[in-house]
Amino acid sequence: MASISSSPRTVEEIFKDYSARRAGILRALTNDVEEFSNMCDPEKENLCLYGHPNETWEVNLPADEVPPELPEPALGINFARDGMNRIDWLSLVAVHSDCWLLAVAFFFGARLNRNERKRLHSLINDLPTVFEVIAERKPIQDKPSADNGSKSRGSMQRTSDVQAKSTAKLADESCDEDEEEHGETLCGCCDGNYNADEFWIGCDICERWFHGKCVKITPAKAEGIKQYKCPACNLKRHRP
């Protein structure tokens, strides 16, 4: 079973421990796969796959002590051996092994600060996972090359510029149409010309338009008015 032989403390020591344990597990699932498979007899009790800091592997029963000295790998990897295709079974063991390797690494890294944990994760993330190796899946390349990066940024910039120009064009066209529609409109109070930059409100009775400031109506206040009547129409309504 797993043991804390060297108690790694620094980022480099923890990553070295992680890499060695990972190498042992990879050996079990690739070069030593027949031996590993034979040891995972479904008739036996719950078995675990351990990777050790000296790059060896071991199939054994879980630790007896509670809580264990280290996080424990998945139990019962032997039970599914004969009930699945070999590659599916190995892939399942690989996924659980990846989880265990990360658990052990961050168990050792419990006292690392934020930047150190980030650096440890970065180092680990640069390696393909056990699952990716077993399933023959190539890791997705997160970091594009300098050329690709510049091309991508250039493409994004061009797209952004086109979108910005398109939006500006639509806004200008909308303003032009608005200006054309109300170009000859005069405020019913001050006789000022229509300006799209100012708030206007139309009377639902006489259909004349007014500056909001002239009739003391704000955009917020206008939202609560179902039918607007200008001052003149209000006077007409209240005349005897």
Side-chain angles (χ1 to χ4, degrees):
M1 61 189 67
S3 62
I4 307 179
S5 57
S6 57
S7 296
R9 295 181 181 278
T10 68
V11 171
E12 289 72 20
E13 290 173 346
I14 296 171
F15 179 65
K16 182 179 179 181
D17 180 89
Y18 170 89
S19 300
R21 294 178 189 274
R22 171 181 172 276
I25 289 175
L26 281 173
R27 180 175 290 113
L29 300 181
T30 54
N31 297 340
D32 300 342
V33 67
E34 292 301 331
E35 181 184 355
F36 167 72
S37 179
N38 291 334
M39 294 184 68
C40 292
D41 186 349
E43 298 299 323
K44 295 181 179 180
E45 297 182 31
N46 288 306
L47 294 176
C48 303
L49 172 60
Y50 295 91
H52 294 303
N54 59 357
E55 300 188 9
T56 61
W57 60 273
E58 177 186 10
V59 172
N60 207 336
L61 294 171
D64 292 329
E65 63 266 25
V66 178
E69 194 176 18
L70 276 180
E72 286 289 307
L75 294 173
I77 59 170
N78 49 315
F79 294 143
R81 186 195 69 178
D82 297 339
M84 303 174 66
N85 293 328
R86 170 171 284 197
I87 186 60
D88 293 334
W89 173 60
L90 293 176
S91 295
L92 180 62
V93 174
V95 170
H96 284 294
S97 297
D98 282 320
C99 296
W100 177 68
L101 288 169
L102 286 173
V104 172
F106 282 89
F107 175 84
F108 285 134
R111 292 180 175 81
L112 297 178
N113 61 38
R114 179 180 179 181
N115 290 332
E116 288 172 333
R117 290 195 304 272
K118 185 176 181 180
R119 186 153 61 92
L120 175 60
H121 183 271
S122 179
L123 289 171
I124 291 174
N125 202 43
D126 283 340
L127 294 175
T129 64
V130 176
F131 172 73
E132 287 171 333
V133 174
I134 299 304
E136 297 183 349
R137 296 185 178 184
K138 294 182 180 180
I140 297 173
Q141 187 172 348
D142 293 324
K143 299 178 181 178
S145 65
D147 291 341
N148 289 340
S150 61
K151 288 180 181 178
S152 176
R153 288 192 293 272
S155 177
M156 290 175 64
Q157 184 63 43
R158 287 193 295 273
T159 301
S160 177
D161 291 345
V162 170
Q163 290 176 341
K165 290 178 181 178
S166 176
T167 302
K169 184 178 180 181
L170 289 173
D172 290 342
E173 289 176 353
S174 176
C175 288
D176 290 343
E177 291 175 0
D178 210 20
E179 291 285 358
E180 289 176 4
E181 181 181 354
H182 299 285
E184 298 179 358
T185 300
L186 300 178
C187 174
C189 283
C190 69
D191 289 333
N193 291 323
Y194 174 82
N195 186 340
D197 294 331
E198 297 177 306
F199 172 68
W200 286 61
I201 188 168
C203 178
D204 292 311
I205 304 301
C206 66
E207 298 185 348
R208 289 188 299 168
W209 286 85
F210 303 85
H211 286 115
K213 61 184 179 182
C214 290
V215 292
K216 298 181 180 179
I217 300 292
T218 64
K221 188 176 180 179
E223 289 181 3
I225 300 175
K226 293 182 179 179
Q227 184 183 51
Y228 175 69
K229 295 179 182 180
C230 69
C233 291
N234 264 327
L235 285 174
K236 289 178 184 179
R237 179 184 176 186
H238 290 96
R239 281 177 185 171

